[in-house]
Amino acid sequence: MTTLQLAVRNLRAAGIHTWLNAFALSLAFVAIIFGQGLLEGVNRQAEQASIAFEFGDGQFWHKQYDPYDPLTIDNAHAPIPEELKPLLNSGAAMPILIIPGSVYFAGKMLPVLIKGIPADQKVLKIPSAMLTDTTKDLPVLLGQQMAKTAGAGVGDYLTIQWRDARGAFDARQARVVGIMHTSVSTIDQGQVWLPLNKLWELTTMAGQATLITVKKKPIPVPALPDWDFRSLDFLLADLRTMIKTKTVGQSIMFIVLFLLAMLAIFDTQVFSIFRRRREIGMLIALGLTRAQVIAMFTFEGALYGVLATLLGTIYGTPLFIYLSARGISFPGSAQWGFALQERMYPVYPLSLILGTTLLVLITATFVSWLPTRRIARLKPTDALRGKGI
Amino acid sequence: MADEYIIETFDLIKRYPMGRQELVALKKVNLKFRRGEFSGVIGPSGSGKTTLLNIIGSLDTPSSGSVVVLGEKVETLTPYRSAQLRRRHIGFIFQTFNLLPVYTVFENVEFPLLILKVPPAERRQRVMAALEWVGLADREKSRPNQLSGGESQRVAIARAIVKQPAIVLADEPTANLDAENSYHILDTMVKINQELGTTFIFSTHDEKVIRYLRRKIKLLDGAVVADKHAQPSGRET
Ligand SMILES: Nc1ncnc2c1ncn2[C@@H]1O[C@H](COP(=O)(O)OP(=O)(O)OP(=O)(O)O)[C@@H](O)[C@H]1O
Ligand SMILES: [Mg+2]
């Protein structure tokens, strides 16, 4: 007769109490997976949006280009290298030219980055096709946040000013041809999008680019003297850090929830050992060693973890399938500052579920074992008299 | 012969620390018990009866002196060996029954066989036989909280004898029972003693129990003051 079998027998004999305890624990278990899945969903959604709208499968950056140092932008451009021309011609890569400038509209002056993008590109989801303008006007595309900041709408004329290749100021009127709806603020705030060929013309920088975004990372990556390839991991690093800091509150909440669940097990166990001290004395009188009694109590607690996992799987699985298919509406998500749509689709990767399960099981076992150490010091004669704990 | 005596105590002393002083619960107790005895330790409250039984049952250890049970010195046993001794050879009956509350009557009685790894079919048969002994075969599915005090103690007796131990230690088994139930369990234990040869040691100050004893050991303040064999007079008429 193993102590594990005794523990199973005890839990079965305790009936409804066992299930109530296990159910309470399963709530924490499911809530943790739910919350982590939501964060994972936020993460993935933000990453996917960034990949679709901004990064593609990596970018070649001009050596001078540093998105955090606006002063470098002036010099961060060069003719598109010959080696990349085949990729560009096949539509698998796309150049963007960035130059500093400013926008005047309705009496306001806003410093901006002027970005030129090929109107016919298919690499990013930026609706550049809107820039295929047939009128004589210079077309310009704004992101939704930029449009709000400038107070401009479709059809409005902005004055765009920049310095050309020789450093002389130049300006043009441009008509807003579209407002782009994107959750990626790094292609929206403080920038305006022009057709690349027009920008080449206006700046006399024909054939030049600041970055070249690829649809698929080339293998091997060609070594180019003036260009550095930035992998997706590199490009997403900032976003990931930002999400981490923004969701740290949520993570703390789950940690607290988890600790509460563990405290509940611990408490149940402490109380159970206290209430059952005569029983402990009797078990020793019947011929169990203290170590066996400790093992039995520990198994009982660990089995709560197992039952909770089973219960949680039973009602959690349909819940999670439903949520990841239907999404959860997330009003007011615009303030988060990174890509977040109104409807969140939580993601429950196997690693998350297995990891949480393992964590619950191991911790449940550990906190069940902790209070049993007092059994080790318990004298059976005291226990039988209802004393000693 | 080595096992002429099933239990022997040699100058057994038990002290309990009581603040700065100490309380001597047993003072040089020298007792020998033969197989199949039906004996009892009699004495007023606090005289050391429970302490003596607990040490014989290896639930407690002597402060000095020695106790030999079935050829083993209990004070030198490892926790594992002393658990083995209790598991195989000693049955306990307590004043407070101490049934395992979540188990049924059957499971309570089955428990000692479970930890002895007796196969299920044999277990069932032996549990039912033990319940027959105490007249509770029809209550196998009841839970302890559905039993009267008398019935609970009968289940405890069945649990103590189901493994057919050499020794049963019964610490005031009738203290919580009325006369009728006391006689019932005493008759049962006499029957078990006679048919199975189980050694019984009681601790009691109950006149009803004392009348059943064939050996009466008087304890006073931790010392043996009398040790007499007697003809049991049985149930009061
Ligand atoms: N764990 C303990 N710590 C300190 N003193 C104890 C302990 N157990 C028993 N004693 C003391 O030892 C003495 C003998 O106690 P014991 O329980 O053996 O008496 P008893 O004869 O069984 O009494 P009762 O008839 O009331 O059950 C008592 O004075 C008791 O207070
Ligand atoms: Mg006593």
Side-chain angles (χ1 to χ4, degrees):
Chain A
M1 189 68 202
T2 68
T3 46
L4 176 61
Q5 280 169 291
L6 279 183
V8 170
R9 188 174 253 248
N10 285 344
L11 291 190
R12 222 176 34 211
I16 187 80
H17 293 280
T18 299
W19 291 107
L20 282 177
N21 274 339
F23 182 70
L25 182 56
S26 77
L27 285 180
F29 170 66
V30 168
I32 289 165
I33 293 186
F34 169 80
Q36 295 296 332
L38 198 58
L39 290 185
E40 185 71 26
V42 168
N43 241 317
R44 291 220 184 163
Q45 208 159 315
E47 285 190 9
Q48 277 161 9
S50 293
I51 290 169
F53 278 95
E54 190 176 8
F55 298 140
D57 197 21
Q59 296 175 330
F60 288 92
W61 284 11
H62 183 265
K63 271 211 151 38
Q64 301 280 315
Y65 178 59
D66 176 358
Y68 296 110
D69 183 359
L71 298 177
T72 61
I73 299 287
D74 265 333
N75 302 316
H77 48 81
I80 296 167
E82 283 304 319
E83 292 90 331
L84 297 181
K85 290 262 167 75
L87 278 178
L88 266 79
N89 292 340
S90 69
M94 177 268 287
I96 290 176
L97 175 63
I98 305 176
I99 58 168
S102 30
V103 162
Y104 296 87
F105 181 70
K108 271 193 281 187
M109 197 272 280
L110 301 169
V112 294
L113 291 178
I114 301 165
K115 296 190 172 177
I117 184 170
D120 58 353
Q121 64 83 25
K122 296 268 182 316
V123 175
L124 295 179
K125 255 188 166 168
I126 295 175
S128 52
M130 288 180 177
L131 296 170
T132 329
D133 200 66
T134 46
T135 65
K136 264 188 265 153
D137 289 332
L138 175 64
V140 62
L141 179 65
L142 304 180
Q144 56 196 5
Q145 291 176 50
M146 181 63 197
K148 211 167 145 197
T149 313
V154 175
D156 285 336
Y157 284 89
L158 315 175
T159 305
I160 298 176
Q161 193 198 51
W162 67 93
R163 287 198 300 180
D164 66 18
R166 293 173 305 278
F169 278 103
D170 202 350
R172 283 288 186 290
Q173 289 264 309
R175 189 168 57 87
V176 178
V177 292
I179 308 291
M180 137 171 87
H181 291 278
T182 175
S183 50
V184 185
S185 62
T186 42
I187 59 159
D188 178 344
Q189 201 64 271
Q191 47 202 287
V192 297
W193 293 85
L194 298 183
L196 181 61
N197 52 0
K198 285 273 167 55
L199 191 61
W200 278 344
E201 237 171 74
L202 294 170
T203 55
T204 62
M205 293 184 193
Q208 301 207 25
T210 305
L211 20 116
I212 294 160
T213 307
V214 297
K215 212 178 207 165
K216 194 95 204 74
K217 180 182 175 180
I219 297 173
V221 175
L224 305 168
D226 286 336
W227 300 80
D228 292 320
F229 185 75
R230 301 301 189 188
S231 69
L232 204 49
D233 273 335
F234 174 90
L235 296 167
L236 287 173
D238 287 338
L239 176 71
R240 286 176 179 155
T241 320
M242 173 151 74
I243 291 177
K244 243 184 216 139
T245 46
K246 296 245 174 182
T247 55
V248 97
Q250 272 73 8
S251 302
I252 288 173
M253 204 181 78
F254 294 123
I255 290 171
V256 167
L257 189 67
F258 184 70
L259 289 180
L260 280 180
M262 289 307 144
L263 194 67
I265 300 188
F266 183 81
D267 254 23
T268 306
Q269 192 78 332
V270 168
F271 180 66
S272 159
I273 289 171
F274 178 75
R275 190 169 41 83
R276 291 164 67 184
R277 58 200 183 283
R278 274 177 190 279
E279 182 182 332
I280 293 171
M282 192 63 219
L283 291 173
I284 294 175
L286 284 166
L288 293 188
T289 60
R290 284 197 193 112
Q292 283 176 306
V293 176
I294 288 174
M296 188 189 91
F297 271 86
T298 308
F299 279 132
E300 280 184 32
L303 283 170
Y304 280 129
V306 174
L307 286 182
T309 310
L310 290 180
L311 275 183
T313 310
I314 290 171
Y315 67 80
T317 308
L319 179 72
F320 292 148
I321 290 176
Y322 176 83
L323 287 178
S324 52
R326 291 293 310 276
I328 302 164
S329 89
F330 235 73
S333 54
Q335 293 94 313
W336 283 46
F338 55 87
L340 246 197
Q341 266 109 57
E342 292 287 298
R343 193 159 269 280
M344 288 304 319
Y345 292 88
V347 179
Y348 303 101
L350 200 61
S351 60
L352 165 67
I353 292 173
L354 290 183
T356 311
T357 308
L358 218 64
L359 186 73
V360 166
L361 292 183
I362 290 174
T363 333
T365 308
F366 180 70
V367 298
S368 308
W369 168 77
L370 271 183
T372 63
R373 286 173 311 162
R374 57 177 74 195
I375 297 176
R377 296 189 300 269
L378 180 65
K379 289 168 112 183
T381 49
D382 287 340
L384 281 164
R385 291 191 304 159
K387 294 193 179 144
I389 289 183
Chain B
M1 206 173 99
D3 66 353
E4 184 184 359
Y5 294 109
I6 191 168
I7 299 161
E8 293 171 281
T9 75
F10 301 96
D11 289 342
L12 168 59
I13 294 176
K14 181 68 183 180
R15 300 186 198 94
Y16 290 112
M18 289 280 282
R20 231 179 279 159
Q21 293 181 312
E22 60 181 17
L23 187 145
V24 186
L26 294 175
K27 300 168 184 163
K28 289 212 174 188
V29 172
N30 286 287
L31 286 171
K32 297 181 196 316
F33 296 87
R34 287 175 201 280
R35 230 173 244 282
E37 278 198 34
F38 201 79
S39 56
V41 184
I42 306 162
S45 185
S47 55
K49 306 181 294 293
T50 298
T51 305
L52 177 61
L53 258 57
N54 283 343
I55 293 176
I56 290 172
S58 83
L59 286 175
D60 210 343
T61 47
S63 304
S64 77
S66 179
V67 176
V68 178
V69 176
L70 290 158
E72 308 225 50
K73 278 192 173 184
V74 300
E75 67 272 17
T76 60
L77 294 179
T78 62
Y80 178 75
R81 298 276 300 149
S82 90
Q84 291 265 305
L85 179 70
R86 292 191 295 274
R87 184 182 301 191
R88 297 220 176 94
H89 304 298
I90 300 176
F92 285 93
I93 300 169
F94 297 103
Q95 175 181 344
T96 49
F97 323 138
N98 289 337
L99 298 180
L100 304 175
V102 294
Y103 287 179
T104 61
V105 164
F106 184 93
E107 289 167 334
N108 263 283
V109 179
E110 184 189 25
F111 192 92
L113 302 181
L114 218 52
I115 61 176
L116 283 171
K117 303 187 201 296
V118 174
E122 187 186 342
R123 238 156 47 205
R124 162 129 221 117
Q125 176 234 318
R126 285 172 67 175
V127 170
M128 291 319 289
L131 286 173
E132 298 281 355
W133 270 101
V134 299
L136 282 176
D138 55 334
R139 300 299 300 272
E140 58 159 313
K141 293 203 171 69
S142 303
R143 305 243 168 211
N145 60 11
Q146 300 167 325
L147 302 176
S148 71
E151 288 165 339
S152 297
Q153 196 60 301
R154 278 146 69 192
V155 174
I157 293 171
R159 179 177 63 183
I161 59 147
V162 71
K163 63 190 176 197
Q164 308 211 344
I167 302 162
V168 170
L169 302 171
D171 191 0
E172 311 209 28
T174 59
N176 286 334
L177 303 182
D178 62 16
E180 195 44 49
N181 275 304
S182 299
Y183 286 127
H184 189 297
I185 69 149
L186 283 164
D187 287 333
T188 307
M189 289 195 273
V190 167
K191 202 167 65 166
I192 292 164
N193 167 256
Q194 285 169 353
E195 297 192 14
L196 305 178
T198 312
T199 308
F200 277 81
I201 305 178
F202 290 80
S203 116
T204 190
H205 42 205
D206 178 355
E207 273 306 319
K208 296 187 287 299
V209 178
I210 295 168
R211 268 200 298 277
Y212 273 77
L213 298 177
R214 274 184 271 128
R215 177 182 173 191
K216 300 167 188 172
I217 300 159
K218 282 218 172 78
L219 214 55
L220 197 63
D221 282 338
V224 177
V225 293
D227 185 353
K228 278 183 248 162
H229 289 268
Q231 261 321 307
S233 50
R235 190 188 279 244
E236 199 171 30
T237 44

